[in-house]
Amino acid sequence: MTGEEDAPRDPGELTEEQAGRMLAEMNEVIRAGEEMRRLRGEMIQLFVGLGWTQDRIARLTGMSQPAVSKQVAKDRAGEPPPPPGLSLDQRDGPWLEGRLWGLAEEISETFDGGARCTRLVDALLRGRERFTPRNVDALRRLVEEDLRRRPGELPGGCRDTYDAISRGLDVPSAADPGTPPPAGSASVRRALARRIQRDLLTPGGRDRQGPPAAGR
């Protein structure tokens, strides 16, 4: 090593490595923001397909009615796509991943952030991680560990829910020839499944299940 490499760095000097880490962190936030805006736009189209009024959508999204109209006009190409089914028992990958995500969030909150799955759940929520096969496998493993650690402290049905999701992910269902793919993008389907799964794990959640009413 040279004397220059051995010499301690001036704390006031910004290294290329430090700059790279900062910019990588900023890029993650920017990318997550762009993805969330895109997902919100897709959800608005979903609400339109359900027959919801633009005033209602504006109230729920916190946007102005003109902004919602602009979003609808920007994203619409012909008729709105058919709304995705809201039955929990759907077998495509994004839907099952969304259910797993919702289950992991419920476990994390139950253990007040002390669950093994908490760090990955937060990273997925903030857009720092993606739903890659590797991350889905990691989330499954962490959820399984949490289910084994303190089963008596979890809401009823968590183990059965995990087993059903795991079976679906292990043996993907083959679509019948000529059957159209499930409605909605992968991001929308994950978001819907996550929300529905969480609600069903909450006390009284089964009584609240059902598709949103149109036009209110």
Side-chain angles (χ1 to χ4, degrees):
M1 297 178 70
T2 67
E4 181 181 352
E5 290 171 335
D6 290 335
R9 288 187 179 275
D10 183 345
E13 178 184 351
L14 182 67
T15 68
E16 184 175 333
E17 182 183 1
Q18 288 172 315
R21 285 200 302 266
M22 286 193 300
L23 289 172
E25 292 167 354
M26 294 175 192
N27 287 338
E28 286 180 353
V29 174
I30 292 169
R31 185 170 60 242
E34 291 173 349
E35 291 179 354
M36 194 58 65
R37 283 192 291 272
R38 184 166 58 249
L39 176 58
R40 184 178 67 176
E42 292 177 0
M43 294 300 296
I44 288 173
Q45 294 301 322
L46 166 65
F47 301 149
V48 170
L50 291 170
W52 290 12
T53 65
Q54 292 188 10
D55 284 340
R56 185 185 185 191
I57 295 170
R59 185 175 71 253
L60 291 171
T61 59
M63 300 168 65
S64 67
Q65 199 277 335
V68 170
S69 296
K70 184 177 180 181
Q71 182 77 55
V72 170
K74 172 186 173 185
D75 294 338
R76 175 178 288 171
E79 292 299 315
L86 299 180
S87 168
L88 191 67
D89 187 21
Q90 300 183 62
R91 300 294 296 276
D92 59 289
W95 189 267
L96 291 165
E97 291 164 3
R99 290 188 62 188
L100 178 66
W101 189 10
L103 172 63
E105 278 192 301
E106 190 71 26
I107 292 171
S108 178
E109 288 192 8
T110 299
F111 291 160
D112 196 23
R116 296 294 304 277
C117 65
T118 293
R119 181 174 296 180
L120 183 51
V121 166
D122 289 346
L124 290 167
L125 183 64
R126 298 178 186 278
R128 294 196 299 268
E129 295 288 352
R130 306 289 187 279
F131 277 90
T132 62
R134 179 178 179 180
N135 280 336
V136 172
D137 286 345
L139 189 59
R140 290 175 65 181
R141 184 178 67 254
L142 294 169
V143 167
E144 176 100 31
E145 290 179 22
D146 285 324
L147 288 169
R148 287 199 307 264
R149 286 171 63 212
R150 295 183 283 179
E153 301 175 38
L154 292 169
C158 281
R159 167 51 73 175
D160 290 343
T161 295
Y162 173 77
D163 289 344
I165 294 168
S166 192
R167 284 193 299 270
L169 290 169
D170 284 339
V171 186
S173 60
D176 295 331
T179 301
S185 70
S187 296
V188 166
R189 292 186 64 74
R190 285 192 197 99
L192 286 171
R194 169 193 170 217
R195 185 67 268 163
I196 293 170
Q197 183 64 77
R198 288 218 61 187
D199 287 346
L200 290 179
L201 289 171
T202 303
R206 292 189 180 276
D207 298 334
R208 295 197 301 273
Q209 188 184 21
R216 291 182 189 170

